[in-house]
Amino acid sequence: MNKVILGRYIPGKSIIHRLDPRSKLILSFYFIIVIFLANNWQTYALLSVFTVACVLLSKVSFSFFLKGVRPLIWLILFTVILQVFFSRGGTVYWQFGPLSLTSSGVINGSYVFCRFVLIIFMSTLLTLTTAPLEIADALESLMSPLKKIKVPVYEISLMLSIALRFVPTLMDETEKIMNAQRSRGVNFGEGSIMQQIKAVVPLLIPLFVSSFNRAEDLATAMEARGYRGGEGRTKYRVHFWRLKDTLACVAFVFLTTILLYLRNW
Amino acid sequence: MSIRFEKLNYVYQAGTPFEHEALRNVTVSIPEGSYTAIIGHTGSGKSTLLQHLNGLLRPSSGRVTIADKTITSSTKNKELGELRKHVGIVFQFPEAQLFEETVVKDIAFAPKNFGKTKEEAEKIAVEMADLVGLPANILNGSPFELSGGQMRRVAIAGILAMKPDVLVLDEPTAGLDPKGRLEMMQMFEKLHQQQHLTIVLVTHQMDDVANYADHTIVLEKGEVIAAAAPKEIFKDPQWLLKHHLALPKATKFAYELQKTGKFFFDKMPLTEKELAADIVDSLKRGGNQTE
């Protein structure tokens, strides 16, 4: 459970940490879209250099990013291998039935690999440098235009912040209950599939029950402190769009321009 | 079952930037049949230590010997299942572990996991429910409809039903009212006396340590700084205060009395009974001197 790096925040004071969470959120999504524009070596090299530059700017140790890739490595390899062996075109090196190893297959495979790694690096960068609550704030602020079409933006973001706040608490709780049930002779992750599914019941039921209790306590505590819904509330955490946020956007515009220039149409 | 820790180290999340050393060079033993109290500040490594008692955690280095079984960093998970039958751990707020439809089924869960048939397990469950003082009319009801104190009893009965040789209790009375607290502590004492169960108690209640324990292990920042009988541990109030530990109420009172200069205690009293006897003693002696 402690090995999950994705979604973890590392406090710091780098320029990336201090960017407005809204700009970080928009730009990470933007980057993911931009990645799909790349279609040759030069463009992928450009994106890689850019990503590495961002990682260096964040002053977060590189090993975190590698750990972010690790849990997904099988998925990545699976996709890459499918690409490599089932693509047609270019010089054929080797062929066997429907399988074939071709130059375009190898190239496509490496593109897919680059794409995956870059996307994971960028999203890890976002979560490593942005506190979960900041992300929730950013989402609320970015969703606020949706209020016009009657989307309950405030409620969604409240639920989101509460959910994010309780992720670590629930993880601790899960660990505690697992330990308690292990002491009572449950073996998690062992035996046949049916046995494994059965072993989850003594974990899930207590977790649900404690979540219900927690929700009730939290609701009571919120009401006791004068919470009456989103209408007419003020904000404690206020984010400002600063010059560096604009500069970050400018950097991305530059990136896109060069990318479009290098792209094979 | 005696338990021995040798040069035990435990590091959380080893090899990551979140690495955190929880236990350092712990060499200490828990004698068979003893009532051992483990005390120490919050974050001193008490809970980490007790998870080593039944193999929930394996040492990063060093070894744990439980009866004739040795656990090192390379011990396989499969070998630990058998061990868990012998060491029952009641975790903090154990009511969070209840999940079955009825109280009896929940108590019978552990013995069933350890190979008893359904009938045998349920028979044990009924006995255990009686032992922890649960009324017979709730046994076939849902455990979630009970009061907090009763849920705690069900959870404890669920551990006792394993018939462990070592019973580990992590703050078993946290959040209970004074009556429930006393009843529960007396029940453990009775089990210790009658069935010669080895009890390991982790607690912040120094009065419980003074009243029940016969061996004390003091942890600070992951290291064992003392292991002796409570009398030894509590004889030097200044040492305890230096290590941010509280005194039992009776000892604190005696300490304050001694400071006035009018009373003197050979050995610091631990319980109210001892305190009363010692005061009488001290008064008699004081009386003799003035005559």
Side-chain angles (χ1 to χ4, degrees):
Chain A
M1 200 108 356
N2 291 321
K3 284 175 191 135
V4 182
I5 294 290
L6 207 74
R8 195 173 239 176
Y9 168 61
I10 299 174
K13 285 201 167 70
S14 75
I15 179 139
I16 304 228
H17 278 90
R18 282 181 285 126
L19 281 180
D20 190 295
R22 283 170 296 181
S23 62
K24 278 192 270 188
L25 198 64
I26 299 173
L27 291 179
S28 336
F29 275 109
Y30 179 70
F31 186 80
I32 290 171
I33 297 165
V34 164
I35 285 176
F36 289 95
L37 288 176
N39 60 0
N40 61 17
W41 283 116
Q42 294 91 317
T43 46
Y44 275 110
L46 173 75
L47 289 175
S48 310
V49 169
F50 185 80
T51 311
V52 170
C54 289
V55 169
L56 290 179
L57 270 181
S58 75
K59 298 204 175 96
V60 177
S61 139
F62 209 74
S63 66
F64 274 106
F65 294 88
L66 295 180
K67 285 212 180 81
V69 175
R70 200 187 286 164
L72 294 170
I73 196 75
W74 294 115
L75 179 73
I76 298 174
L77 286 182
F78 179 70
T79 327
V80 169
I81 286 172
L82 278 190
Q83 280 284 338
V84 168
F85 286 106
F86 288 96
S87 296
R88 308 260 150 187
T91 338
V92 179
Y93 302 127
W94 176 78
Q95 195 154 17
F96 178 77
L99 299 176
S100 63
L101 188 67
T102 64
S103 60
S104 72
V106 172
I107 291 172
N108 275 338
S110 15
Y111 286 172
V112 167
F113 183 78
C114 284
R115 232 176 248 173
F116 263 116
V117 171
L118 290 179
I119 290 177
I120 295 170
F121 268 43
M122 238 357 166
S123 41
T124 314
L125 183 70
L126 172 73
T127 53
L128 283 179
T129 59
T130 320
L133 274 182
E134 284 184 327
I135 296 181
D137 281 348
L139 279 176
E140 181 184 3
S141 161
L142 293 175
M143 282 191 302
S144 57
L146 296 179
K147 275 181 196 156
K148 292 220 172 72
I149 53 165
K150 299 251 165 82
V151 175
V153 170
Y154 176 79
E155 281 74 13
I156 293 176
S157 79
L158 177 75
M159 281 194 282
L160 196 66
S161 5
I162 292 176
L164 286 171
R165 155 67 185 79
F166 279 100
V167 167
T169 316
L170 276 175
M171 296 254 265
D172 282 352
E173 182 106 11
T174 312
E175 185 99 24
K176 246 189 65 182
I177 297 173
M178 271 177 102
N179 276 340
Q181 307 296 30
R182 272 200 196 111
S183 300
R184 296 212 281 167
V186 179
N187 290 317
F188 291 104
E190 278 172 33
S192 68
I193 296 225
M194 262 327 271
Q195 281 174 319
Q196 291 199 28
I197 293 173
K198 265 190 183 157
V200 178
V201 175
L203 174 64
L204 275 190
I205 294 180
L207 262 183
F208 268 108
V209 170
S210 90
S211 302
F212 283 133
N213 290 337
R214 209 183 287 279
E216 205 167 312
D217 289 348
L218 183 67
T220 314
M222 280 171 73
E223 270 173 12
R225 293 169 82 180
Y227 179 82
R228 261 176 283 116
E231 210 69 20
R233 278 172 66 84
T234 54
K235 273 187 148 315
Y236 175 65
R237 288 186 309 273
V238 185
H239 298 285
F240 295 103
W241 189 277
R242 293 203 174 81
L243 180 62
K244 50 177 172 278
D245 297 298
T246 317
L247 287 180
C249 293
V250 171
F252 270 79
V253 171
F254 259 116
L255 175 79
T256 325
T257 327
I258 306 174
L259 187 94
L260 289 177
Y261 176 72
L262 290 175
R263 190 176 133 94
N264 288 338
W265 292 97
Chain B
M1 270 186 152
S2 68
I3 299 173
R4 211 178 145 64
F5 296 95
E6 276 164 274
K7 300 215 167 119
L8 181 92
N9 289 288
Y10 188 79
V11 184
Y12 278 107
Q13 304 190 40
T16 74
F18 303 105
E19 195 171 276
H20 166 65
E21 192 179 35
L23 291 175
R24 196 180 321 140
N25 207 11
V26 170
T27 301
V28 76
S29 57
I30 295 166
E32 181 163 357
S34 71
Y35 196 132
T36 300
I38 301 179
I39 56 176
H41 228 235
T42 314
S44 59
K46 302 185 296 281
S47 299
T48 312
L49 188 68
L50 76 84
Q51 289 181 54
H52 279 90
L53 290 170
N54 72 351
L56 286 174
L57 293 178
R58 272 164 294 174
S60 300
S61 71
R63 55 221 234 119
V64 189
T65 315
I66 301 170
D68 50 357
K69 188 126 188 68
T70 305
I71 308 174
T72 62
S73 58
S74 57
T75 307
K76 297 254 168 11
N77 251 329
K78 278 218 171 83
E79 303 167 41
L80 297 172
E82 177 63 21
L83 187 73
R84 296 201 178 125
K85 192 158 74 176
H86 299 290
V87 183
I89 299 191
V90 177
F91 284 92
Q92 245 177 68
F93 299 100
E95 50 274 26
Q97 73 190 30
L98 304 180
F99 73 100
E100 283 278 18
E101 297 146 56
T102 68
V103 172
V104 167
K105 275 192 186 170
D106 202 284
I107 301 177
F109 180 63
K112 250 169 36 193
N113 282 333
F114 289 120
K116 291 265 192 293
T117 64
K118 193 165 170 269
E119 288 70 36
E120 283 174 328
E122 290 191 351
K123 198 171 147 263
I124 297 174
V126 174
E127 280 169 34
M128 290 302 146
D130 185 51
L131 184 72
V132 299
L134 286 168
N137 60 345
I138 62 161
L139 292 188
N140 289 311
S142 161
F144 296 110
E145 284 161 4
L146 303 178
S147 71
Q150 281 178 326
M151 279 167 87
R152 177 87 48 104
R153 279 163 202 267
V154 175
I156 291 173
I159 300 292
L160 290 175
M162 292 157 54
K163 304 260 168 101
D165 303 312
V166 180
L167 181 64
V168 182
L169 306 159
D170 190 359
E171 299 202 43
T173 60
L176 288 187
D177 57 81
K179 187 167 164 279
R181 176 174 252 153
L182 187 69
E183 279 174 7
M184 208 150 273
M185 289 313 293
Q186 281 171 348
M187 180 190 84
F188 295 133
E189 174 70 2
K190 210 170 81 187
L191 284 170
H192 174 62
Q193 301 280 357
Q194 291 175 354
Q195 304 184 13
H196 308 292
L197 217 61
T198 308
I199 292 189
V200 180
L201 172 74
V202 173
T203 185
H204 289 287
Q205 303 290 327
M206 295 303 158
D207 285 324
D208 288 344
V209 180
N211 283 325
Y212 304 106
D214 53 29
H215 185 62
T216 315
I217 296 170
V218 188
L219 284 177
E220 190 181 66
K221 291 183 186 141
E223 286 179 283
V224 174
I225 54 167
K231 264 273 192 250
E232 285 293 308
I233 301 284
F234 293 121
K235 76 175 178 200
D236 187 357
Q238 252 136 18
W239 181 86
L240 284 159
L241 295 174
K242 200 180 103 201
H243 290 284
H244 308 287
L245 291 167
L247 293 169
K249 279 199 204 76
T251 316
K252 188 160 194 316
F253 192 79
Y255 181 52
E256 297 292 330
L257 274 182
Q258 195 163 356
K259 272 205 228 154
T260 63
K262 293 194 178 97
F263 289 86
F264 177 75
F265 300 94
D266 293 330
K267 273 187 184 160
M268 278 295 169
L270 296 185
T271 59
E272 279 151 39
K273 247 188 202 157
E274 284 177 26
L275 174 69
D278 285 356
I279 289 178
V280 172
D281 227 36
S282 189
L283 281 176
K284 269 188 196 152
R285 267 189 290 171
N288 289 340
Q289 275 163 20
T290 46
E291 272 173 27

